[in-house]
Amino acid sequence: MEKQGVHGPKPRFLVGNILDMASLVTKSTSEDMDSINHDIVGRLLPHLVAWSKLYGKRFIFWNGIEPRMCLTETELIKELLLKHSTVSGKSWLQQQGSKHFIGRGLLMANGNDWYHQRHIVAPAFMGDKLKSYAGYMVDCTKEMLESLQNAVVSGQTEFEIGQYMSRLTADIISRTEFDTSCDKGKQIFHLLTVLQHLCAQASRHLCLPGSRFFPSKYNRDIKSLKMEVERLLMEIIQSRKDCVEVGRASSYGNDLLGMLLNEMQKKRGSGFGLNLQLIMDECKTFFFAGHETTALLLTWTVMLLASNPSWQDKVRDEVNRVCNGAAPSVDHLSKLTLLNMVINESLRLYPPASVLPRMAFEDYKLGDLHIPKGLSIWIPVLAIHHNEEIWGKDVNEFNPDRFASKSSAPGRHFIPFAAGPRNCVGQAFAMMEAKIILAMLISRFSFIISDNYRHAPVIVLTIKPKYGVQICLKPLSP
């Protein structure tokens, strides 16, 4: 890479640049921000800002023994995501970092495994199957709104909305994934959340080969949590199989788990069979990808609407006009254009995934660069979404109008769900869920940001508000 003019900070033996990154991030996030300010790239990716000033738009850094090239040139990013998806994917280090809580599900699969898993999973998020989830979303949201209403009646005015959104999206994914077994699904979700935090701790430290075998308390905790999650999943799977075997049911069910089990039955005769471990890994992946990111999208959007009352009023007027007091249906959603613009602007300012990583599995040409096998390319989504050259002088301001036209030039550099063949399979599910929840919330309540809210975004695998988002709710008359 040096021969091609790509340089970077000097790595240390074994640890690479991990310590430099950790110290820069610790320093930049040690204090809260003075006000609600969306200029957060320097806070969350300080190493990227410092190194791009020194080495340019592309530079190499080392995560332990793994070389990574940071790439911010949008034309090359587009080429990478659209053309080279078959020769790039998730690295061994990434798979190790997340194997305990999502295993080798679709998110971490590569090559033929990824191709087959994608074809099995994709139909669950398309057409009529996708529309069938809207009822679950409306019912779960009604329950949450009732609990908020009851709390307001009893005298509570301030709410940490992130907790409510997290519980709500967990309820929805439990219902769509496990339907009748959703109570067990909620237990699984709780355990996976604990596992994720443990795995996130490890991702900030050096991963030495063989360290996962050390009999440390950390490794023991992870192993016992993983075993408990898989025990609960196996109980659900086994009860479905028993029902089919004794003839009480003709299929494994219409939810996501049932669909996977039905596919496994179909594929038995073909070369690619889904095993039970893979089904459990897919279930865990749905939980992580379908719950966490949507909860954060909703939390940040509520924060933005609470601190921009004029946009809140515009969206409320649109929802009232389109839905006319009824719960939003699938047919209503395409007409909620202002709400769609607000959600996109929230995804631009606070994309749940701050970076997109892709490792090269063989040598290939990317623009003017020769990419050698084994090099990881890191696309800093957050930095691209906050790039003044692309989005203009108001790049760090909340301005949904920038998404008013679908053909707007900056929109081509908008990649919260990635792009190309490996884009997010649940993108339509997440957007439908976000629109239904926000439309129902905004038609029942007006809300402002609380004086107790402290703006302090941090990265724990995803971009989160460090202390949650406190808002003051006021019920609207029906």
Side-chain angles (χ1 to χ4, degrees), residues 150-210:
N150 292 338
V152 170
V153 168
S154 67
Q156 189 178 340
T157 52
E158 185 183 289
F159 297 84
E160 199 290 279
I161 202 67
Q163 288 178 8
Y164 283 87
M165 293 305 181
S166 189
R167 281 201 295 270
L168 174 56
T169 55
D171 284 352
I172 290 169
I173 203 73
S174 296
R175 294 277 293 276
T176 48
E177 192 168 343
F178 299 121
D179 196 9
T180 51
S181 327
C182 70
D183 286 340
K184 219 168 239 175
K186 287 172 193 174
Q187 276 179 272
I188 292 167
F189 151 73
H190 171 70
L191 294 168
L192 281 175
T193 308
V194 179
L195 252 180
Q196 184 201 334
H197 283 283
L198 281 173
C199 294
Q201 285 172 28
S203 71
R204 291 194 289 271
H205 303 285
L206 177 63
C207 178
L208 289 168

Side-chain angles (χ1 to χ4, degrees), residues 210-225:
S211 61
R212 65 190 184 280
F213 300 116
F214 295 162
S216 61
K217 181 181 183 302
Y218 172 80
N219 281 344
R220 285 198 305 274
D221 287 349
I222 278 187
K223 192 177 177 185
S224 68
L225 280 165

Side-chain angles (χ1 to χ4, degrees), residues 35-309:
S35 59
I36 298 177
N37 178 346
H38 311 306
D39 184 3
I40 57 172
V41 181
R43 174 185 172 83
L44 299 180
L45 303 174
H47 47 292
L48 180 136
V49 173
W51 292 336
S52 54
K53 278 178 188 166
L54 289 171
Y55 307 109
K57 287 186 173 180
R58 40 173 97 147
F59 59 84
I60 293 275
F61 65 103
W62 290 74
N63 189 73
I65 55 169
E66 183 182 281
R68 295 175 174 178
M69 179 174 75
C70 183
L71 188 66
T72 55
E73 293 150 276
T74 50
E75 288 310 307
L76 292 189
I77 288 169
K78 201 159 88 181
E79 185 185 331
L80 172 67
L81 296 176
L82 296 176
K83 286 189 187 174
H84 301 294
S85 63
T86 55
V87 292
S88 59
K90 300 301 167 84
S91 74
W92 178 84
L93 268 183
Q94 281 177 275
Q95 290 175 334
Q96 284 301 109
S98 62
K99 72 171 191 174
H100 293 298
F101 75 98
I102 55 175
R104 289 294 173 91
L106 182 64
L107 205 60
M108 285 295 149
N110 287 323
N112 280 338
D113 288 347
W114 171 81
Y115 177 81
H116 287 296
Q117 287 178 49
R118 176 86 180 201
H119 277 259
I120 286 166
V121 167
F125 298 103
M126 288 156 64
D128 291 340
K129 190 70 194 162
L130 181 68
K131 289 177 186 175
S132 72
Y133 303 138
Y136 289 137
M137 294 172 182
V138 169
D139 291 345
C140 292
T141 308
K142 275 181 182 167
E143 287 172 23
M144 182 199 77
L145 294 176
E146 285 304 316
S147 71
L148 286 172
Q149 184 77 38
N150 292 338
V152 170
V153 168
S154 67
Q156 189 178 340
T157 52
E158 185 183 289
F159 297 84
E160 199 290 279
I161 202 67
Q163 288 178 8
Y164 283 87
M165 293 305 181
S166 189
R167 281 201 295 270
L168 174 56
T169 55
D171 284 352
I172 290 169
I173 203 73
S174 296
R175 294 277 293 276
T176 48
E177 192 168 343
F178 299 121
D179 196 9
T180 51
S181 327
C182 70
D183 286 340
K184 219 168 239 175
K186 287 172 193 174
Q187 276 179 272
I188 292 167
F189 151 73
H190 171 70
L191 294 168
L192 281 175
T193 308
V194 179
L195 252 180
Q196 184 201 334
H197 283 283
L198 281 173
C199 294
Q201 285 172 28
S203 71
R204 291 194 289 271
H205 303 285
L206 177 63
C207 178
L208 289 168
S211 61
R212 65 190 184 280
F213 300 116
F214 295 162
S216 61
K217 181 181 183 302
Y218 172 80
N219 281 344
R220 285 198 305 274
D221 287 349
I222 278 187
K223 192 177 177 185
S224 68
L225 280 165
K226 181 173 179 267
M227 283 170 68
E228 181 61 11
V229 166
E230 295 193 345
R231 184 186 68 76
L232 290 166
L233 281 169
M234 274 308 295
E235 281 180 12
I236 299 173
I237 291 167
Q238 196 57 51
S239 70
R240 300 278 175 102
K241 290 177 80 180
D242 291 346
C243 283
V244 170
E245 281 162 19
V246 300
R248 269 188 296 167
S250 57
S251 83
Y252 293 107
N254 292 320
D255 52 15
L256 288 170
L257 173 62
M259 198 197 66
L260 287 173
L261 288 167
N262 290 327
E263 283 297 328
M264 183 173 87
Q265 196 66 27
K266 274 192 242 168
K267 297 268 189 252
R268 281 232 163 109
S270 69
F272 181 83
L274 274 174
N275 57 39
L276 286 179
Q277 183 60 52
L278 195 53
I279 283 181
M280 289 194 289
D281 287 350
E282 293 301 5
C283 288
K284 291 186 274 186
T285 299
F286 287 153
F287 250 125
F288 168 69
H291 146 72
E292 163 108 14
T293 49
T294 314
L296 286 168
L297 161 59
L298 289 160
T299 303
W300 287 121
T301 308
V302 169
M303 184 278 287
L304 290 164
L305 285 170
S307 44
N308 291 274

